[in-house]
Amino acid sequence: MTQGFKKLVLMSALLAALVVSLGAYTRLSNAGLGCPDWPGCYGFLTVPNEAHELKSAQQKFPGSEVHQKKAWIEMVHRYFAGGLGLVVAAIFILALRHPSHNKGIKGLSALLVALIVFQALLGMWTVTMNLQPLIVMGHLLGGFTILSLLTLLWLKACKPPAVTIAHLSGLRVIALSVLVVLIIQIALGGWLAANYAAPHCRGLPLCENGELFSLSSLFQLPHSSASYEFGVLPFETRLSIHLVHRVWAMVTLIAILFLCWRLYVRIPDLSVKPVILLPAILVLCQVLLGGAIVHWQFPLLLTLFHNVMAALLLLSMVRVCYLLFYQSRG
């Protein structure tokens, strides 16, 4: 495995992390419809600024008003996402051309290219379907998936630590189960954000009005609307979405702490103790951060950091699972 390939994969993973963060900022700053078309902005490659450009934008999109700040937030996200696509394409070409890359590296590179294409389509549908919540949540999960797979590709490209662990099958099952629990929690967070449900529950640990969630309302999908910006679901449904996200956060906390405890006891190698403990530290910080966000009434920067922490927590779990599954081939 060439050093140049490893550096390119690492760069792409860092770029993916930036794209995910920019996507979260775009969503949280209500800039998802800053540009009503795709991939350009009001028919231009940059945000229209000159008088003739603004006039053209008004003619092409008579129902929209150019909001410079929101439009630039959206376009910067698109520029970096486009750059990520080019880097992933370069990784795929290098993986195919270099004889030292095994089938796993090549297959993962091909999968990433396919996901980037699908993610671009989701980005387009997010705009053309006016922030339809299912599409918005899918776009968020797509970004997290690409970031996770790039991290996995980087781990495969690097030599993992040699660790001796006996009777791994049970630990692998637990680790994969916990990873699924975490993915569900991230999806619930995406569904909460896509439906603008965060402000509908302001108390701790329950909502201010003391209401509990309604199971029947959880299965209510958004009705057809000209625009889904700021949400269209009724108050009770959005409150339920928020509370379920909180309840599952406790399930996720317990699951990750249990996994980390089991691994810490079973793996004596001190060199991987930080890898084992990191998910436990991150999930504790994430729960505390969620409480702080509610307490301080959903400040944008704290909420953005909550999204970034979710990505870091997912990557730490991917690292743990890779550590366990690598041993099956060792």
Side-chain angles (χ1 to χ4, degrees):
M1 200 72 62
T2 64
Q3 288 298 319
F5 183 79
K6 293 178 184 178
K7 290 179 180 179
L8 185 62
V9 173
L10 178 59
M11 183 186 78
S12 68
L14 294 174
L15 181 57
L18 177 60
V19 171
V20 167
S21 301
L22 288 172
Y25 183 70
T26 301
R27 183 174 63 256
L28 293 170
S29 58
N30 300 319
L33 294 179
C35 297
D37 52 340
W38 189 94
C41 191
Y42 292 92
F44 299 93
L45 292 178
T46 62
V47 178
N49 185 44
E50 302 293 335
H52 68 279
E53 293 175 340
L54 293 173
K55 182 178 180 180
S56 175
Q58 287 296 320
Q59 291 174 346
K60 292 177 181 177
F61 302 92
S64 299
E65 181 181 353
V66 179
H67 193 296
Q68 293 284 333
K69 182 179 178 180
K70 290 185 177 182
W72 272 116
I73 291 172
E74 171 64 12
M75 287 307 294
V76 168
H77 172 57
R78 293 184 190 180
Y79 293 151
F80 278 96
L84 177 62
L86 294 176
V87 175
V88 170
I91 289 172
F92 175 62
I93 294 171
L94 290 175
L96 289 181
R97 294 182 62 182
H98 205 283
S100 68
H101 296 157
N102 57 39
K103 291 182 179 179
I105 295 289
K106 294 177 181 179
L108 196 51
S109 300
L111 177 59
L112 278 164
V113 170
L115 284 174
I116 285 287
V117 173
F118 185 60
Q119 183 73 345
L121 290 174
L122 286 173
M124 177 184 68
W125 294 331
T126 295
V127 175
T128 58
M129 297 180 70
N130 297 308
L131 304 181
Q132 210 283 346
L134 286 173
I135 301 297
V136 173
M137 184 181 71
H139 194 49
L140 180 146
L141 291 177
F144 274 62
T145 302
I146 291 169
L147 176 58
S148 298
L149 291 180
L150 283 169
T151 301
L152 181 60
L153 183 61
W154 181 73
L155 291 171
K156 283 179 171 289
C158 298
K159 185 178 179 181
V163 183
T164 302
I165 314 170
H167 308 294
L168 274 177
S169 57
L171 291 176
R172 292 194 195 107
V173 171
I174 295 173
L176 283 180
S177 300
V178 173
L179 181 61
V180 171
V181 168
L182 176 59
I183 292 171
I184 292 173
Q185 175 64 2
I186 291 172
L188 288 172
W191 188 240
L192 181 150
N195 285 286
Y196 299 84
H200 288 69
C201 183
R202 294 178 177 270
L204 285 171
L206 299 177
C207 304
E208 285 179 344
N209 51 16
E211 291 187 46
L212 296 176
F213 62 85
S214 168
L215 288 176
S216 60
S217 68
L218 290 178
F219 301 100
Q220 181 176 349
L221 295 176
H223 56 76
S224 180
S225 175
S227 175
Y228 298 90
E229 191 171 22
F230 306 116
V232 297
L233 289 176
F235 177 87
E236 181 189 43
T237 302
R238 290 197 251 185
L239 181 145
S240 300
I241 291 170
H242 189 138
L243 274 177
V244 169
H245 179 62
R246 290 193 193 182
V247 170
W248 199 257
M250 294 300 102
V251 175
T252 306
L253 173 67
I254 294 169
I256 291 178
L257 291 180
F258 174 74
L259 171 65
C260 293
W261 170 72
R262 287 292 302 273
L263 293 176
Y264 192 87
V265 171
R266 292 284 299 278
I267 302 177
D269 194 320
L270 293 177
S271 66
V272 296
K273 293 293 186 183
V275 175
I276 296 169
L277 291 177
L278 184 58
I281 295 170
L282 289 176
V283 75
L284 286 169
C285 292
Q286 183 73 329
V287 170
L288 291 174
L289 183 59
I293 289 170
V294 175
H295 178 73
W296 281 304
Q297 301 300 305
F298 313 99
L300 188 147
L301 289 181
L302 268 185
T303 308
L304 175 62
F305 190 52
H306 193 56
N307 282 257
V308 174
M309 284 285 289
L312 293 175
L313 180 56
L314 177 61
L315 296 185
S316 70
M317 278 300 304
V318 169
R319 179 67 180 90
V320 167
C321 290
Y322 180 74
L323 173 70
L324 295 176
F325 278 84
Y326 171 76
Q327 296 303 312
S328 66
R329 299 190 300 274

